[in-house]
Amino acid sequence: MNAKVIVSGAIILFVGNMLSSLLGLSREVLLAAQYGTGMDMDSYLFANTIPAIILSFMSGIFSSGFIPLYIKHRVDYGAEKASLLYSNTINWMLLLLAVVAVNCYVFSPYLSELFAPNKEAQAQIMHLLWILIPTLFFFTLSYAQSMVLNSVNHFLLPALLTLFNNIVMIVFIVFLHNTLGIYSVAWGYLIGTVIQVLVQLPIMRKKKLRYRFYINWKDETIRRLLAMSIPIAGLVVIDQCTVLATRYFAANLAEGSASALNFANRIVMLPVSLFGTAIISSTFPSAVQMFSENKFKEYERLITTTVKSIVLVLVPVMVLCGAFAKYIIRALLERGAFDANATQMTSFAFILAAVGILLYPIRDFFVKLLISRNSMRTPILSSVLYAFVFIASCMLTVPHMAYKGIAISNAVALIVSFAFLVIRYKQLDRDIKIRVSLGFVSKIVSSSVIAAFAAITFQHECLPYLSKWLPSETVGTLLSLAIGLAVYAAIVKGWKIEEINFVYEKMLAKFRYNKKSSVSARSGG
C-alpha cells in the first residue's frame, strides 16, 4: 500500500469523521437540552456500561487480532480463503455473543442494581439494558465489515457509519422524546446499528467479500485468534474496570455527576475521532502489511510520520480546548435542561479530559501495533497501571472533591500509563526508532500556547467591541478559536522547520505526490 493510498484514505476518513462528528455534536446538544445532567441521562449511561464493555472486547478482537491475521491470510492464500476466515470468525463471534446476551437478560436485575441509587433508577436502567443488548450483534457485524473494507483500501463507507447512526438517533430523540422519553435514545441507537450493517452489504458484495454460513473449529487461524483473544480480553477487562469504577464512584455522588463526566469525555472524543482516528485507521493496515513483508525501513518511516502528524494536528486543539473549556461547553450545551451549574461541572471535567485529545490516539496506535505482533505484555501492564492509579487516586480524592476527584484521577492515570507505554515500546523496538525529536515537540507546544494566548486576548479584549455585530456568543467563541488556529498555522509554517515541513508534505502528498521522493529523502527526524 503506497503513500498515496494512505493519504487518500486519511482524507476520506477525515471528511467522513468530520460529518459524523458534527452530527455527533448535534446529538450531544440535543441530549443535553432534553435531559441535562439528570437521572434519565445517568440511567442511560449506566445501562450502556455492560454493552460498551462487551463491544470494546469485540472491537479489540477485530481491529488488533483479526485484521492482521486476515491480511496475512489474503496475502498468503488469496481472497477466497480470506473470505472463509472472515465468515468463520463472524459465526463464532455471533455464537459467543448469543450466550452473553442470554446471560445479560437473565441477570439484568442484578446488573442494573450495581449502578442504581434507588428502585426507580434500577427499573429504568434494567429496561434500557433490555433494549441495548441486541446492539451487541449488529455493532459487532458492522465493525467487522468496516475493518475488512478498510483492509482492501475502501474507506468511504466505514467512515460514514456513525453518520447514519447519529442521524437515526437524532430523529428518534426529536420525534419520539415526548412519548418514549429516555428510551427514544436507546431505540435510536439500536436501529442505527442495524442500518450500519445493512448499508455495507452492497459494497461487501461488490468487493467480493462474501459471507457464508461456515463454521470450522479446526481452522488453525481461528485457534490463533482465540489465543490472541485471551490477552485482548484481559486488556479490555482491565481497561473497562476503570469505566466500572467511574460509574461506581459517580453513582454515589450528586445527581448529574456521571453525566457531566460523560459529556466532557464525549466532546473530547470529537477531535480524537475527527483527526486521530482518520490518521490511524488509514495507517494501521499499511503498517501491518509492511511489517509482515519485512519492510522495516518503510515501517519505521510510517510510524514516525503518523506520530508527527497526530502531534502537529492535535496539540493546538488540546491547548485551545483547555483554555476555552467554559466557553465551549456553554456554547455547545447550555440550553434547556442543561443549566449553568451543569456547565460549571462539565467545564471542569473537560479541562482535565482535554489531555486525552493527544494521548488517546497515540496510545491506541501503539497498542494496536503491539497486539498485531503478538506482544501483549506491555499493553496489559500499561492498562493495569492505568487502572491502579485511577482507582487509588479516586479513593483518595473523591471523598473530598466529589466528581472533580474522578476527573483529576483520570487525567493523572492517563499520563502515567501513556508514559510507561511509550518508554516500554522504545525498549522493545530498539531497531525501529520513533524519530520524533524533543525540539519538534517543544516547537509545536510553544506555538500552541502562543496561539491560545492570542485567542484568549481576542476573546476578552476585542470581542466585546464586536459583540453587537455577532448573532450569538457561540459565533464569537468560534471566531476566537479560528483566530487561535490561524495564528498557530502561521507560526509553524513561518518557521520553516524541516520536521514540520516534512509532516505537511506527508499530509498533502495526495496533491503533491510528485515531490514525495525528495521529501522522503529529507525525513531524518
Side-chain angles (χ1 to χ4, degrees):
M1 196 183 297
N2 58 37
K4 191 173 184 179
V5 172
I6 295 170
V7 177
S8 299
I11 291 172
I12 291 169
L13 286 167
F14 170 78
V15 173
N17 285 335
M18 180 174 66
L19 296 173
S20 298
S21 296
L22 289 173
L23 276 175
L25 181 60
S26 301
R27 181 198 65 214
E28 294 303 316
V29 169
L30 277 173
L31 288 173
Q34 297 288 4
Y35 306 107
T37 54
M39 189 186 78
D40 283 348
M41 197 66 229
D42 282 357
S43 293
Y44 177 77
L45 295 175
F46 293 144
N48 200 35
T49 299
I50 301 301
I53 291 173
I54 297 167
L55 292 178
S56 294
F57 169 69
M58 288 297 169
S59 61
I61 289 294
F62 278 100
S63 64
S64 302
F66 171 74
I67 284 300
L69 294 176
Y70 177 82
I71 292 173
K72 183 171 177 55
H73 219 67
R74 193 176 65 230
V75 170
D76 294 343
Y77 305 111
E80 186 67 22
K81 290 287 187 180
S83 291
L84 286 177
L85 174 63
Y86 165 73
S87 300
N88 199 18
T89 305
I90 286 290
N91 291 329
W92 278 111
M93 291 300 171
L94 292 178
L95 286 174
L96 175 63
L97 285 175
V99 175
V100 172
V102 169
N103 280 277
C104 284
Y105 278 116
V106 171
F107 294 101
S108 59
Y110 307 101
L111 293 172
S112 58
E113 191 177 8
L114 289 173
F115 308 105
N118 53 58
K119 290 294 183 183
E120 181 186 357
Q122 181 183 357
Q124 188 177 49
I125 292 170
M126 183 173 66
H127 293 145
L128 286 166
L129 179 60
W130 289 350
I131 299 170
L132 292 170
I133 287 172
T135 62
L136 298 175
F137 299 96
F138 298 108
F139 179 89
T140 299
L141 283 171
S142 170
Y143 195 83
Q145 290 172 322
S146 64
M147 287 292 99
V148 170
L149 286 172
N150 280 344
S151 74
V152 294
N153 304 333
H154 182 85
F155 300 101
L156 179 58
L157 192 56
L160 297 176
L161 289 181
T162 52
L163 181 75
F164 300 131
N165 193 289
N166 285 328
I167 289 173
V168 175
M169 288 187 71
I170 289 171
V171 169
F172 270 68
I173 294 169
V174 170
F175 293 102
L176 298 176
H177 163 70
N178 291 331
T179 55
L180 295 178
I182 191 64
Y183 298 103
S184 63
V185 183
W187 281 112
Y189 181 64
L190 172 59
I191 301 303
T193 57
V194 174
I195 291 174
Q196 284 181 324
V197 173
L198 296 178
V199 297
Q200 292 186 94
L201 292 177
I203 195 66
M204 292 285 288
R205 293 194 192 98
K206 183 178 179 181
K207 294 287 184 179
K208 297 181 180 179
L209 302 169
R210 292 178 294 174
Y211 166 80
R212 300 172 183 175
F213 187 73
Y214 171 75
I215 295 181
N216 180 12
W217 174 247
K218 295 181 180 181
D219 189 335
E220 184 61 32
T221 308
I222 288 292
R223 296 186 179 185
R224 287 179 59 193
L225 182 60
L226 177 63
M228 295 175 68
S229 300
I230 296 172
I232 290 175
L235 186 63
V236 170
V237 168
I238 295 166
D239 282 341
Q240 294 304 315
C241 278
T242 58
V243 176
L244 287 171
T246 301
R247 300 285 193 259
Y248 172 78
F249 284 115
N252 296 292
L253 298 176
E255 184 179 287
S257 297
S259 297
L261 293 165
N262 176 70
F263 279 122
N265 288 325
R266 284 295 186 92
I267 296 174
V268 160
M269 294 310 294
L270 290 177
V272 171
S273 300
L274 187 59
F275 300 106
T277 301
I279 295 170
I280 291 171
S281 296
S282 61
T283 301
F284 178 65
S286 300
V288 171
Q289 188 162 338
M290 287 175 182
F291 194 85
S292 65
E293 294 174 353
N294 298 324
K295 297 178 179 179
F296 298 123
K297 286 295 182 182
E298 291 87 344
Y299 177 83
E300 179 185 282
R301 191 179 302 120
L302 181 59
I303 301 306
T304 298
T305 304
T306 301
V307 175
K308 281 187 172 182
S309 298
I310 292 171
V311 170
L312 176 67
V313 174
L314 291 183
V315 167
V317 176
M318 177 185 69
V319 174
L320 284 169
C321 282
F324 278 77
K326 180 180 69 175
Y327 300 104
I328 292 171
I329 299 301
R330 188 162 62 200
L332 294 178
L333 303 178
E334 191 175 305
R335 55 184 57 82
F338 199 96
D339 56 18
N341 181 60
T343 296
Q344 183 179 359
M345 293 175 66
T346 307
S347 297
F348 182 87
F350 183 59
I351 291 172
L352 292 166
V355 68
I357 291 174
L358 175 66
L359 301 190
Y360 283 135
I362 298 178
R363 182 196 67 174
D364 293 346
F365 186 53
F366 284 141
V367 167
K368 283 186 174 183
L369 291 173
L370 289 167
I371 293 175
S372 69
R373 291 156 53 183
N374 296 322
S375 180
M376 295 295 305
R377 185 179 179 184
T378 296
I380 290 176
L381 289 176
S382 175
S383 294
V384 169
L385 181 62
Y386 177 91
F388 175 80
V389 173
F390 176 76
I391 294 172
S393 182
C394 279
M395 293 175 68
L396 292 172
T397 59
V398 170
H400 307 287
M401 304 181 69
Y403 77 95
K404 294 180 180 179
I406 298 176
I408 292 170
S409 300
N410 180 67
V412 171
L414 179 59
I415 292 169
V416 171
S417 62
F418 176 82
F420 171 81
L421 181 67
V422 172
I423 291 170
R424 285 288 298 162
Y425 184 88
K426 287 185 175 181
Q427 291 174 345
L428 292 171
D429 263 333
R430 295 185 185 276
D431 294 332
I432 299 175
K433 307 294 184 182
I434 306 172
R435 301 184 183 278
V436 182
S437 66
L438 182 61
F440 172 82
V441 174
S442 63
K443 289 163 187 173
I444 296 298
V445 172
S446 60
S447 300
S448 301
V449 171
I450 294 170
F453 179 78
I456 291 172
T457 301
F458 178 84
Q459 179 82 10
H460 290 287
E461 302 299 331
C462 302
L463 207 56
Y465 299 102
L466 301 175
S467 58
K468 60 182 179 181
W469 289 290
L470 299 176
S472 66
E473 182 183 350
T474 301
V475 175
T477 300
L478 290 173
L479 182 59
S480 298
L481 292 172
I483 287 173
L485 291 173
V487 169
Y488 169 78
I491 293 172
V492 296
K493 192 64 177 173
W495 275 351
K496 300 184 182 299
I497 303 168
E498 181 180 346
E499 297 148 321
I500 295 174
N501 290 335
F502 168 65
V503 177
Y504 269 119
E505 293 292 340
K506 281 292 184 183
M507 293 179 70
L508 300 177
K510 179 178 174 67
F511 307 104
R512 290 183 277 179
Y513 188 66
N514 59 315
K515 299 181 182 180
K516 180 173 74 72
S517 298
S518 61
V519 173
S520 298
R522 301 195 305 268
S523 63

